[in-house]
Amino acid sequence: MHRRPLLQALALSPLAAAFTTSAQTRQQGRPAAGYGPLRPVADEATGLPLLMLPEGFSYRSFGWAGEALANGGVVPGAADGMGIVKAEGETFTLVRNHEILGVGGGFGPAASHYDAGCDGGTVTLRYDRAAGKLLEMRGSLSGTLVNCAGGTTPWGSWLTCEEIVTPAGHSGQHRGKPFKLEKPHGFVFEVPADGASNAQALTALGQFKHEAALVDTDGTVYLTEDAQPAGFYRLLPAKKGNLAAGGRLQMLRARKASDLRTGLKPGQQFDVDWVDIARPADGVGDNGNNGVLNQGRAQGGSLFTRLEGLFAGRDEIFFTSTDGGDAKAGQVWRFVPSQQRLELFIESPGASAFDYPDNLCLHPRTGLIVVCEDSKQPVQRLYGLRREGGLDGLFELARNNMQLAGGELEKLPQLKGDFRGAEWAGTCFSADGKTLFANVYRPGFTVAISGPFAG
């Protein structure tokens, strides 16, 4: 029951002319030029150079851990996955995960607690882009554990995913204090744009180490698993738009390829089909917490490793494998639903080229993919990725530059330390493509980045 490294920012752009790569850069295996060199940029909210960005880009931070929630308590840390669930003119409603493994009492209204003693969950934020002002923060789900990533739904809600599997009644010690969980964990929960979640576990989506969720246009829900080994899943819902009604959970099976972790080449393609998971809520099974994976594996389901971010374009779904590939530095996969075809889109030859990709999102107009980094590097980056050129299409879009001596933040003067190694997470673009929202995991806050994303 501990956090693993995560990586969260991917960016694709078909505008090849906007991105150049020198021969020297390719030989050294470093990110391509992208929008230009990065330099420290002052946060418009705090005045501090928290990020490094290209010329012409700006940002504003909001929703810091430790600030007060409108419905009681304070904002937790560990800001992870996030999505825009509602947009009204210049006002955006975002739901943000808090990946907390703790047993202390939760936050927000008691009616939104799943397992009352657990500290993970979600916070809902309303942000006015025109005014550059946070309008409200409130707890919207708690009593969960290790809420890592998730995904938005077409009907305007957020699916938050637990990245841990425990049976009901699980007990032990946490930070020197005994605990006992009343309910099982390892599920997906739905959070509405307004109000709070009903804290109902969506058991048809499986009990496993969930990472991300994606609802495709036909209602199919795709799911990644952050485990070693891992599976790639989908739910065929019994009723489109009503996940509580259940459905058929299935695991991907690549024909003639039972293990997709290593030994592959970028561009390699596989025809796929799917095998049914008979007992989706049996995540513990007979072997630790691999009950769902083992059900699929027994029928030839294909193995990945540490699947993370998940995002859809037009008839294509991208997802990342944080430590996949021969160098164990990461893979990006592309699945085409209409053809039931899987492709290894890129694979990192080593950490110096591309290291531990995590969450990702897609620019709504240019096709730019933004990938979050969650690696062991001393400074974490947001990457841009264009389709042409494979790894030569990678470039640095942003860099975490947060270093505090203490006392610089008026509302949170106690914060101090070097946070440059904190991962990026929760990237999502506004529908007009003008603003990229993203989270810095530790100490936990959100930024709204603006700039010439269209190239």
Side-chain angles (χ1 to χ4, degrees):
M1 291 176 64
H2 68 280
R3 236 193 118 262
R4 298 166 320 289
L6 304 169
L7 166 58
Q8 189 186 24
L10 180 67
L12 284 169
S13 173
L15 305 178
F19 308 108
T20 59
T21 306
S22 68
Q24 181 181 13
T25 299
R26 287 195 298 270
Q27 290 169 2
Q28 293 175 345
R30 295 175 181 168
Y35 294 111
L38 308 185
R39 83 274 191 250
V41 177
D43 174 17
E44 293 179 351
T46 66
L48 301 174
L50 305 178
L51 306 183
M52 294 180 69
L53 293 168
E55 187 72 33
F57 286 78
S58 61
Y59 67 101
R60 181 176 289 271
S61 69
F62 61 93
W64 288 74
E67 293 187 303
L69 289 168
N71 53 0
V74 298
V75 179
D80 211 305
M82 182 174 69
I84 299 170
V85 294
K86 188 177 183 179
E88 301 170 292
E90 289 294 295
T91 299
F92 297 89
T93 300
L94 304 106
V95 180
R96 185 174 76 189
N97 281 359
H98 292 273
E99 190 190 31
I100 297 175
L101 176 63
V103 184
F107 58 90
S112 68
H113 292 187
Y114 168 68
D115 197 350
C118 300
D119 294 344
T122 65
V123 165
T124 299
L125 308 98
R126 292 181 64 241
Y127 179 75
D128 185 332
R129 181 172 64 178
K133 180 181 179 181
L134 179 65
L135 303 178
E136 182 188 43
M137 284 190 295
R138 53 184 167 80
S140 47
L141 171 71
S142 190
T144 52
L145 292 173
V146 197
N147 295 68
C148 196
T152 58
T153 70
W155 50 91
S157 62
W158 171 252
L159 300 178
T160 180
C161 302
E162 289 186 305
E163 192 189 359
I164 192 170
V165 173
T166 62
H170 178 70
S171 61
Q173 294 276 333
H174 179 70
R175 296 180 179 175
K177 296 181 180 181
F179 72 87
K180 183 177 181 179
L181 305 180
E182 298 298 325
K183 296 182 179 181
H185 291 265
F187 296 109
V188 178
F189 300 81
E190 189 166 2
V191 182
D194 300 307
S197 173
N198 63 5
Q200 177 184 356
L202 301 173
T203 56
L205 291 168
Q207 183 189 28
F208 55 87
K209 290 184 177 180
H210 285 276
E211 180 70 24
L214 183 152
V215 183
D216 206 3
T217 53
D218 64 354
T220 302
V221 185
Y222 293 92
L223 303 150
T224 54
E225 180 179 25
D226 192 355
Q228 296 171 311
F232 184 62
Y233 304 92
R234 73 177 183 183
L235 177 79
L236 302 177
K239 186 176 181 181
K240 184 177 179 180
N242 182 3
L243 300 181
R248 290 171 59 200
L249 184 68
Q250 300 179 315
M251 180 176 171
L252 180 142
R253 178 172 60 185
R255 296 171 189 170
K256 301 180 181 180
S258 60
D259 194 330
L260 298 169
R261 292 174 288 184
T262 58
L264 308 175
K265 295 181 179 180
Q268 198 166 343
Q269 298 183 3
F270 306 90
D271 292 326
V272 309
D273 57 14
W274 302 81
V275 298
D276 287 339
I277 304 297
R279 303 181 309 280
D282 182 13
V284 178
D286 299 324
N287 182 21
N289 53 22
N290 295 320
V292 170
L293 178 75
N294 287 342
Q295 291 178 60
R297 190 175 186 176
Q299 302 172 77
S302 297
L303 299 182
F304 298 85
T305 176
R306 291 201 56 199
L307 295 185
E308 298 271 1
L310 182 62
F311 207 86
R314 183 175 298 177
D315 192 27
E316 58 182 0
I317 293 171
F318 292 93
F319 58 96
T320 59
S321 169
T322 287
D323 62 355
D326 294 342
K328 301 185 185 302
Q331 299 166 319
V332 178
W333 291 90
R334 177 176 177 263
F335 173 64
V336 181
S338 66
Q339 301 176 25
Q340 291 296 292
R341 189 182 71 239
L342 180 69
E343 175 191 359
L344 178 56
F345 191 69
I346 62 171
E347 178 174 306
S348 175
S352 63
F354 187 39
D355 196 25
Y356 273 38
D358 200 301
N359 290 171
L360 57 94
C361 70
L362 192 69
H363 190 279
R365 299 191 178 184
T366 67
L368 177 75
I369 296 176
V370 175
V371 186
C372 298
E373 183 176 39
D374 180 18
S375 71
K376 296 179 181 178
Q377 304 298 321
V379 176
Q380 302 301 302
R381 297 158 289 187
L382 279 181
Y383 282 104
L385 176 64
R386 60 180 173 87
R387 294 175 185 276
E388 298 82 3
L391 284 170
D392 285 342
L394 274 170
F395 62 90
E396 280 191 68
L397 175 59
R399 192 181 301 175
N400 185 346
N401 190 50
M402 184 176 173
Q403 302 172 81
L404 299 176
E408 294 98 326
L409 292 169
E410 181 179 350
K411 293 182 179 179
L412 303 167
Q414 73 277 13
L415 278 182
K416 63 179 180 179
D418 186 344
F419 298 94
R420 291 176 296 175
E423 69 175 91
W424 288 90
T427 50
C428 50
F429 275 104
S430 58
D432 60 12
K434 294 180 179 180
T435 302
L436 173 65
F437 294 97
N439 295 328
V440 175
Y441 184 89
R442 186 171 59 90
F445 61 93
T446 298
V447 291
I449 303 174
S450 300
F453 287 107

